[in-house]
Amino acid sequence: NVVACLASIYRLNDNRRKAEELLQAEISSCEMSQEKRSSQLSVLLSALGSFYLEEGSPDRALPLYYRALRLDKALSNSSRLRSDFDDLAWCFFKKQEFLTARYYLRKKILIEEATWGRTDCRLLGSLKGYLKILEQLDAKEEAKLVSGRIGAIMMAPACEDLLKNLQPSNLDAALPSLQSYLDCLSQAGLSSEKKRVSNAIQKVRKEKQID
């Protein structure tokens, strides 16, 4: 990890040759030691792949990314697997192979959903990247669903606060924001979440009518 960070510093200071040499030397060192099947080697392979990708050489990056993926699969390292799938997605994006880019970024998102749930804010970065790929594919229907999910996730914290404190007295003021939230949930196909929010609103609306 330290070597990978040091290589990044060299790159930022336009000493790209030194960065490449450093990473290659450390990879060779790991390969000759007991680290040849470690996550540390995976990090170095990914870092060197990213170096080549930034240089505009995705074909040089690709075998490094695949090798990192094989290592992390063998280690069942879900955190590194997310990174590997992300690396592969953007490598294929650079190659303008958008279907393959979508495939790998979707695999990353599936891991994140299994880890954090489908509405966690930590999904936003991946979903926004996924939307970018869908736009290249002109996949309008899927893009609409993903846009809805992004909107719902971004609105969720504020709307959950509104629902938590929703009373007959503040229902009218809260409704515009909650309706926008419902629209995003509907667009995203999150029917169970939409039903939960709708039921909460209806409950307070009935209380207001009784008052």
Side-chain angles (χ1 to χ4, degrees), residues 159 162-163 166-168 171 174-182 194-208:
C159 288
L162 287 176
L163 287 171
L166 197 60
Q167 301 292 333
L171 176 63
L175 275 177
S177 294
L178 291 173
Q179 186 57 56
S180 295
Y181 186 43
L182 286 169
K194 180 184 176 183
K195 184 177 180 180
R196 181 185 71 84
V197 175
S198 297
N199 287 343
I201 294 171
Q202 288 300 321
K203 180 181 178 182
V204 176
R205 185 173 276 148
K206 287 178 181 178
E207 291 173 0
K208 185 175 182 179

Side-chain angles (χ1 to χ4, degrees), residues 142-156:
E142 190 176 3
K144 182 179 178 182
L145 289 172
V146 175
S147 293
R149 281 189 68 188
I150 291 170
I153 291 171
M154 291 180 70
M155 294 183 69

Side-chain angles (χ1 to χ4, degrees), residues 24-38 41 67:
Q24 288 176 334
E26 192 66 16
I27 287 169
S28 296
S29 176
C30 283
E31 288 171 335
M32 291 186 292
S33 73
Q34 60 184 358
E35 302 296 329
K36 63 183 177 181
R37 289 196 177 95
S38 72
L41 178 55
R67 190 175 166 201

